[in-house]
């Protein structure tokens, strides 16, 4: 039962709060499957939770049973198979644990998610990606296999390549076939990639077999500061063109608007997010973080000089640039990692309805016009908002804080403008934070309706009793 000591599990980082009748903490795939089976028999709605680091309220229960996976956290184990490094990890293992285990063997998990306290199960369920998305794509690509608990409590063992979408459909482990049209997948796509991002509505991943890669021996992290978004975009366009000639060396490119820099400079709940770095330049109103990785240190230094030449060509100054290599790169990365804490610690941020978070994705080649439109709209609105995220993937996060109920309508209108900009550029509001519950009051867009209709159809196929997704 939900005794007082478990009341914290009724909310997540969205600061929304829900209710539930009971909570269970399975410690194995077998216990997870048993909990789901019992819920199915009693027709009890289930909300699946990881570490509850999501910003959209996806882990907030609306009655029924909470299944929290954080005790499925046995130490991950590394094994080699066919020359590949494969890490076995339960769903409740944190990304910090995975990073530490990989690093101890000179390896890394390529997507490189930035929220270390999140669990691998939660990252997979929401389709989250990290800094490595620019170089390596979706996180699910590095899931070599998993155990999947269905809404009826059956356990599927799925290996990559075993279940693929053909011309019309994909075979499932229970003998049924899933139509490719309904799934929205392409011919040749893998079932593992389809299940990623389903947010506990089609089933639950119990454990994973993750593919690790050898760590790059050389790396540089560079922060470029600019006096305005115009200068930042001028440099970004040059950097984007340069990347076409060096596609494997630019590991990450992150953008921060002026408000995001102010929040990082002010610090978050865990202390100074700049990780003992110098004060930001006083004139900084925008910044780009670029990370270079390669086998050869001389090659990387040559690339760094090329970036500084691009900066000069865009009217920027090398004096307002930070560069670190080796272990110093982690200090620069913490700016991105701690920004979320700084956003959460704003006055009023814990009033769930007053802070609105969203992620917008569009065609990568149209990143510049999208970012320009977002920045102009935010400036014209006069609202308090941070814009940041994966620039060259054109996947940007927005966090707006309404200073009173009167501003909330303006925030909603602004987010609608952002959705329209993304849709006009071949994208939409992206569910990287999870569809969750926080966006529902404001996201009444056609793209949201299409996603919901598709998910309802998929849920009817996988979960006709409507057990999951409480």
């Amino acid at each position: 039962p939900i005794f007082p000591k478990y009341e914290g599990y009724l909310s997540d980082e969205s600061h929304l709060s829900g209710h539930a009748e009971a909570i269970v903490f399975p410690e194995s795939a077998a216990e997870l499957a048993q909990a789901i089976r019992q819920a199915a028999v009693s027709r009890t709605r289930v909300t699946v939770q990881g570490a509850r680091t999501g910003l959209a309220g996806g882990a907030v229960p609306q009655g029924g049973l909470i299944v929290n996976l954080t005790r499925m956290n046995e130490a991950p184990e590394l094994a080699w198979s066919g020359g590949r490094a494969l890490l076995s990890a339960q769903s409740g293992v944190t990304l910090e644990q995975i990073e530490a285990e990989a690093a101890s063997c000179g390896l890394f998990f390529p997507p490189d998610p930035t929220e270390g306290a999140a669990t691998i199960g939660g990252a997979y369920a929401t389709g989250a990606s990290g800094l490595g998305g620019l170089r390596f794509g979706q996180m699910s690509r590095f899931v070599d296999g998993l155990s999947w608990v269905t809404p009826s409590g059956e356990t599927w063992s799925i290996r990559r390549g075993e279940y693929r979408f053909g011309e019309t459909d994909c075979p499932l482990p229970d003998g049924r076939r899933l139509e490719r049209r309904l799934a929205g997948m392409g011919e040749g796509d893998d079932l593992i990639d389809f299940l990623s991002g389903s947010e506990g509505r089609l089933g639950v991943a119990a454990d994973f077999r993750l593919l690790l890669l050898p760590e790059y021996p050389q790396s540089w992290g560079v922060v470029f500061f600019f006096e305005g978004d115009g200068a930042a975009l001028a440099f970004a366009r040059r950097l984007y063109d340069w990347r076409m000639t060096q596609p494997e060396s630019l590991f990450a490119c992150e953008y921060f608007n002026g408000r995001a820099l102010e929040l990082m400079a002010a610090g978050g709940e865990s202390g100074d997010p700049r990780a003992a770095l110098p004060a930001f330049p006083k004139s900084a109103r925008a910044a780009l973080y670029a990370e270079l990785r390669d086998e050869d240190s001389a090659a990387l230094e040559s690339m760094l000089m090329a970036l500084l030449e691009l900066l000069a060509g865009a009217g920027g100054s090398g004096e307002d640039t930070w560069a670190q290599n080796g272990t110093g790169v982690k200090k620069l990365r913490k700016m991105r990692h701690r920004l979320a804490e700084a956003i959460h610690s704003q006055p009023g941020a814990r009033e769930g309805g007053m802070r609105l978070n969203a992620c917008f994705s569009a065609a990568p080649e149209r990143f510049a016009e999208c970012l320009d439109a977002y920045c102009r709209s935010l400036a014209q609105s006069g609202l308090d908002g941070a814009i940041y995220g994966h620039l060259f993937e054109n996947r940007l996060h927005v966090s707006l804080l309404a200073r009173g109920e009167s501003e909330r309508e303006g925030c909603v209108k602004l987010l609608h403008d952002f959705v329209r900009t993304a849709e006009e550029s071949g994208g939409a509001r992206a569910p990287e934070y999870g569809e969750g519950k926080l966006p529902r009051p404001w996201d009444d867009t056609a793209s949201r309706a299409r996603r919901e209709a598709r998910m309802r159809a998929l849920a009817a196929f996988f979960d006709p009793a409507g057990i999951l997704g409480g």
Side-chain angles (χ1 to χ4, degrees):
I2 303 295
F3 296 123
K5 70 176 182 178
Y6 297 125
E7 288 179 353
Y9 293 94
L10 299 178
S11 63
D12 64 6
E13 288 292 349
S14 70
H15 305 307
L16 294 177
S17 184
H19 64 281
E21 283 67 59
I23 186 169
V24 63
F25 297 89
E27 297 183 11
S28 66
E31 290 184 6
L32 170 61
Q34 181 183 18
I36 299 297
R37 278 197 303 274
Q38 290 179 348
V41 169
S42 62
R43 296 296 180 101
T44 301
R45 292 279 287 174
V46 173
T47 298
V48 182
Q49 293 181 345
R52 296 177 294 118
T53 59
L55 298 173
V60 178
Q62 300 296 311
L65 173 70
I66 299 172
V67 177
N68 185 285
L69 306 183
T70 53
R71 294 184 189 173
M72 295 179 62
N73 63 349
E74 291 183 1
E77 295 184 1
L78 180 67
W80 291 84
S81 176
R84 300 190 307 160
L86 298 172
L87 187 74
S88 296
Q90 289 185 299
S91 192
V93 170
T94 67
L95 300 175
E96 287 176 336
Q97 289 177 277
I98 292 171
E99 180 185 14
E101 180 64 24
S104 69
C105 303
L107 303 166
F108 78 110
F109 183 47
D112 224 352
T114 53
E115 179 50 73
T119 62
I120 183 63
Y124 179 80
T126 59
S129 64
L131 288 173
L134 178 63
R135 170 67 180 84
F136 293 103
Q138 292 181 327
M139 181 197 114
S140 64
R141 290 181 54 206
F142 293 88
V143 175
D144 188 66
L146 55 79
S147 294
W148 183 260
V149 178
T150 71
S152 64
E154 181 183 356
T155 300
W156 295 348
S157 180
I158 305 173
R159 294 177 298 176
R160 179 165 290 278
E162 188 176 10
Y163 301 97
R164 291 188 179 276
F165 286 87
E167 184 178 350
T168 60
D169 56 26
C170 176
L172 299 178
D174 62 3
R176 295 184 298 162
R177 304 189 76 88
L178 174 62
E179 290 185 12
R180 185 162 70 88
R181 176 191 56 78
L182 174 61
M185 303 296 284
E187 187 173 354
D189 288 345
D190 200 282
L191 180 62
I192 288 176
D193 298 323
F194 162 73
L195 294 173
S196 176
S198 57
E199 294 192 85
R201 296 179 69 177
L202 308 180
V204 188
D207 49 47
F208 296 85
R209 188 168 62 250
L210 306 173
L211 175 63
L212 306 182
L213 296 182
E215 180 62 276
Y216 288 85
Q218 306 293 333
S219 62
W220 277 93
V222 190
V223 184
F224 302 92
F225 294 99
F226 303 91
E227 295 184 2
D229 290 306
L233 274 174
F235 171 69
R237 289 187 178 97
R238 288 170 168 80
L239 182 58
Y240 186 84
D241 292 340
W242 176 86
R243 177 178 173 257
M244 297 298 102
T245 67
Q246 304 282 345
E248 296 188 0
S249 297
L250 188 60
F251 184 82
C253 183
E254 300 285 303
Y255 164 81
F256 306 95
N257 77 340
R259 182 57 172 142
L261 295 178
E262 290 176 2
L263 290 168
M264 287 190 288
E269 295 174 349
S270 299
D272 184 2
R274 295 169 298 163
L277 291 170
F280 297 149
K282 292 182 179 180
S283 61
R285 297 295 180 269
L288 262 65
Y289 172 72
E291 191 169 312
L292 302 169
R293 296 189 183 188
D294 203 279
E295 302 287 332
D296 187 288
S297 60
L300 275 187
E301 291 179 8
S302 176
M303 293 177 198
L304 180 59
M305 296 306 297
L307 296 192
L308 291 175
E309 291 179 7
L310 293 176
L311 178 66
S317 170
E319 294 181 358
D320 291 335
T321 299
W322 295 350
Q324 296 275 348
N325 66 347
T327 57
V329 174
K330 289 186 176 181
K331 294 182 179 181
L332 298 181
R333 283 175 147 236
K334 286 184 177 180
M335 293 196 311
R336 171 70 160 84
H337 173 65
R338 298 285 182 86
L339 176 57
E341 287 188 359
I343 290 172
H344 296 166
S345 64
Q346 292 179 85
R350 294 188 180 277
E351 303 167 17
M354 303 307 290
R355 190 189 63 205
L356 292 88
N357 297 299
C359 178
F360 299 93
S361 180
E365 65 273 12
R366 301 184 67 174
F367 78 92
E369 60 189 277
C370 287
L371 178 58
D372 183 56
Y374 299 152
C375 291
R376 289 178 183 274
S377 295
L378 178 60
Q380 292 169 0
S381 73
L383 296 168
D384 182 11
I387 302 177
Y388 59 98
H390 314 297
L391 184 59
F392 288 168
E393 297 163 75
N394 203 353
R395 195 170 67 253
L396 294 169
H397 304 293
V398 177
S399 181
L400 303 176
L401 184 63
R403 294 163 291 201
E405 189 62 38
S406 61
E407 283 195 351
R408 193 175 188 283
E409 290 184 11
C411 289
V412 169
K413 180 181 181 302
L414 182 61
L415 291 174
H416 282 166
D417 290 343
F418 286 6
V419 171
R420 185 162 52 252
T421 295
E423 289 178 339
E424 290 172 352
S425 299
R429 184 179 71 80
E432 184 176 334
Y433 282 142
E435 287 293 354
K437 301 171 179 68
L438 191 60
R440 288 179 185 166
W442 68 264
D443 190 355
D444 55 358
T445 59
S447 57
R448 169 65 184 259
R450 288 193 296 269
R451 289 196 304 272
E452 278 295 317
R454 175 174 164 268
M455 183 53 75
R456 283 194 297 271
L458 287 168
F461 179 86
F462 283 91
D463 183 21
I467 300 299
L468 296 179

